[in-house]
Amino acid sequence: MSKFKAIIFDMDGVLIDTEPYYYTRRQTFLNGKGISIAHLSPLDFIGGNMKQVWYMILRNDYDKWDVPALQAEYTQYKLDHAIPYDTLLFSDAKSTLDDLKAKGYKLGLASSTIKLEILRPMKMTELLPYFEVVLSGDDFEESKPNPEIYEVAMARLGVVPEETLVIEDSEKGIAAGVDSGATVWGIKDNVFGLDQSRADELFDNLTEIADRL
């Protein structure tokens, strides 16, 4: 067995291929409110959550909006327009988690997504039982790249950074993992042009990671 005792996964773009769907759904909602995101790139959203980007979205109009109410409306919109998570699960996600569990690793999930948007896909894809710890963006004042989510996940799993492997894809997520002191392996991005340069290593898929371990 490797030096790692625990492996902590991001969700979007690592276990489930959700990012293109998130962007389209977000754009549709905001267009309906008369709000354009044409000035933003999909990269501005990946690895973070909506709380981080309302200033970027609304810019000079920020004070004209009731942002908490807008956020609440968007949350309900997401609940009413569910993504078909079971069809977007990466084909090797379950086999990888089965393999890592069999090898004795402690597994955690740390995603900037809101809790509801983590629990629903995790239950739909039947991945939830694999994880001893599940943390969301709702659990922290600041989202990634703040490393707190990974620091807390390690504490709850009873491991130190030197014993921990983080699996990420986004620039913000990789930064959070690295700054927590953990080793970070990234799933290569071939779509968005993400800056993944801070990852310790990059892999094409989860199967490659499982094979390395």
Side-chain angles (χ1 to χ4, degrees), residues 18-200:
T18 49
E19 294 296 357
Y21 282 79
Y22 282 161
Y23 186 80
T24 300
R25 183 176 62 179
R26 182 185 300 117
Q27 186 177 45
T28 301
F29 170 78
L30 292 172
N31 284 346
K33 307 295 289 185
I35 301 170
S36 172
I37 54 173
H39 60 290
L40 296 175
S41 161
L43 294 177
D44 294 315
F45 298 94
I46 294 173
N49 59 33
M50 287 296 288
K51 290 187 294 185
Q52 290 177 311
V53 297
W54 282 118
Y55 281 107
M56 290 192 296
I57 291 172
L58 299 173
R59 297 186 291 181
N60 294 335
D61 289 336
Y62 185 87
D63 291 333
K64 299 177 183 179
W65 289 89
D66 182 343
V67 175
L70 193 60
Q71 175 67 52
E73 188 175 348
Y74 178 55
T75 298
Q76 186 59 51
Y77 182 86
K78 290 191 289 186
L79 294 174
D80 294 338
H81 297 79
I83 288 172
Y85 297 106
D86 52 338
T87 69
L88 301 177
L89 184 70
F90 285 118
S91 60
D92 56 354
K94 282 189 177 180
S95 60
T96 296
L97 295 175
D98 281 329
D99 183 33
L100 298 178
K101 273 287 191 183
K103 290 177 178 176
Y105 291 105
K106 297 181 177 182
L107 303 182
L109 186 70
S111 170
S112 295
T113 303
I114 64 172
K115 182 76 78 175
L116 284 172
E117 287 283 287
I118 294 174
L119 295 180
R120 179 161 57 177
M122 286 296 98
K123 290 175 181 177
M124 185 180 295
T125 58
E126 300 181 340
L127 295 188
L128 190 60
Y130 288 98
F131 300 104
E132 297 179 37
V133 171
V134 175
L135 296 175
S136 75
D138 291 340
D139 299 318
F140 302 92
E141 285 295 319
E142 293 186 33
S143 190
K144 302 172 187 177
N146 189 305
E148 186 180 10
I149 191 169
Y150 283 118
E151 293 167 347
V152 171
M154 287 187 280
R156 293 190 182 177
L157 288 168
V159 294
V160 296
E162 293 77 17
E163 301 170 325
T164 305
L165 176 63
V166 164
I167 311 298
E168 270 284 359
D169 67 318
S170 71
E171 179 179 354
K172 293 172 186 174
I174 290 169
V178 170
D179 291 344
S180 76
T183 298
V184 180
W185 290 356
I187 300 293
K188 289 180 186 176
D189 162 51
N190 297 310
V191 177
F192 297 105
L194 297 170
D195 180 358
Q196 300 179 306
S197 59
R198 292 191 69 191
D200 294 288

